[in-house]
Amino acid sequence: MKKKIISILSITMCSVLLLFGCGSKKKDTIIIGTEAGFAPYEYMKGNEIVGVDIDIAKAIADYLGKELVIKNMEFDSALMAVQNGTVDFVAAGVSITPERAEEMDFSIGYVEAADEVVVVNKENPTVESIEDLDGKIIGVQQGNVADFWVEENVDAKEIKRYSKFGQAAEDLKNGKIDCIVMDYYPAKEMVVANPELTVLDGVLFKDMYAIAVKKGNKELLETINTVIEQLKAEGKIEEFLANHTSE
């Protein structure tokens, strides 16, 4: 009889707790996928991943009252991860393109009109200007919008695709490629770290960055847009950029 009473009490308690979430563990984390080789947006500082995108991601997590979990992976893998739900969102200098918009949903832009530029070897430039790309070996990050732009707009001798811009910088210094096409701010940080390199004058095209979520995740997308709008209104995006760029 005692066991029966305990059993009934247990069932009753569980029924009450179920009303408040018992039986379905509340998710108290939110996962960002990123590629920490794209300073100032995401990069390594010691053993920590930091950057503009990480600051935005932390603001999103704070708004939701969740702990931010950062997953560092290759750029293409991050985009795949958000599509299959392995991560909640991707912030990795992701450009909005019609092709990507078919596979994932995008927030409003947080860095608008980002300039795409050309990086060359300062001591031995084999590319003289941004109009001098035809017939050259051009380095890009695989899956980056610059990859698609070069393929569609340049008659390159070869497009060499890298998972990390650091690898491209080393090959440029060693004469294995003629130039790198990339975003201005990461290019600026690259030449600070590699004084053998320089950024050519001029802009190839302008780009826009946004945060990607799984297709149909409207609730999270609305939250992210709210946070981005607030950060932009308060001038925080510019502040983040200033904090993560070299003078």
Side-chain angles (χ1 to χ4, degrees):
M1 183 69 175
K2 186 176 181 181
K3 288 183 180 179
K4 186 175 181 181
I5 292 171
I6 292 172
S7 179
I8 292 170
L9 286 172
S10 297
I11 293 170
T12 303
M13 288 179 67
C14 191
S15 297
V16 172
L17 289 170
L18 276 170
L19 294 175
F20 297 93
C22 176
S24 59
K25 187 177 180 181
K26 183 180 178 182
K27 186 179 178 185
D28 55 3
T29 61
I30 187 164
I31 305 172
I32 171 183
T34 194
E35 189 275 296
F38 195 59
Y41 298 102
E42 42 273 327
Y43 61 100
M44 300 301 301
K45 187 175 183 181
N47 295 322
E48 184 183 6
I49 301 173
V50 298
V52 176
D53 288 339
I54 306 305
D55 289 343
I56 295 172
K58 286 178 179 177
I60 294 166
D62 288 345
Y63 183 90
L64 290 169
K66 296 179 182 290
E67 178 188 354
L68 181 67
V69 175
I70 304 172
K71 298 289 187 181
N72 187 19
M73 56 190 75
E74 291 187 359
F75 184 75
D76 276 353
S77 298
L79 295 183
M80 186 59 66
V82 79
Q83 292 177 56
N84 61 33
T86 306
V87 302
D88 294 301
F89 65 96
V90 169
V94 182
S95 306
I96 304 171
T97 68
E99 295 78 14
R100 287 176 182 166
E102 293 180 1
E103 304 294 336
M104 60 199 82
D105 288 336
F106 284 101
S107 70
I108 59 175
Y110 60 90
V111 174
E112 300 179 14
D115 296 340
E116 296 291 326
V117 297
V118 178
V119 180
V120 299
N121 188 312
K122 184 192 295 185
E123 301 300 323
N124 186 29
T126 54
V127 175
E128 300 292 340
S129 74
I130 63 171
E131 290 83 21
D132 185 31
L133 299 182
D134 287 349
K136 300 298 193 296
I137 302 174
I138 302 173
V140 295
Q141 184 182 50
Q142 184 169 340
N144 187 285
V145 68
D147 182 357
F148 307 132
W149 187 91
V150 171
E151 188 168 16
E152 293 174 3
N153 295 277
V154 179
D155 184 17
K157 180 178 180 181
E158 181 185 351
I159 302 173
K160 194 161 184 182
R161 296 172 170 90
Y162 298 86
S163 59
K164 306 283 185 182
F165 275 115
Q167 300 165 331
E170 289 303 312
D171 278 0
L172 183 55
K173 288 190 291 185
N174 294 322
K176 295 181 179 179
I177 59 177
D178 295 306
C179 67
I180 304 168
V181 174
M182 60 190 299
D183 177 274
Y184 170 74
Y185 282 111
K188 180 182 175 183
E189 296 304 304
M190 179 183 285
V191 300
V192 169
N194 300 275
E196 306 94 327
L197 308 180
T198 189
V199 179
L200 292 178
D201 292 335
V203 175
L204 289 173
F205 65 98
K206 292 185 179 290
D207 196 8
M208 179 184 291
Y209 293 159
I211 291 174
V213 303
K214 187 175 182 178
K215 198 76 175 171
N217 193 346
K218 294 181 180 179
E219 184 177 353
L220 179 56
L221 191 63
E222 288 174 1
T223 296
I224 290 172
N225 283 339
T226 297
V227 174
I228 291 175
E229 286 174 346
Q230 183 176 336
L231 292 174
K232 290 172 77 172
E234 295 174 354
K236 289 292 186 180
I237 304 295
E238 291 84 355
E239 183 180 316
F240 295 160
L241 274 167
N243 290 341
H244 294 286
T245 52
S246 303
E247 294 296 331

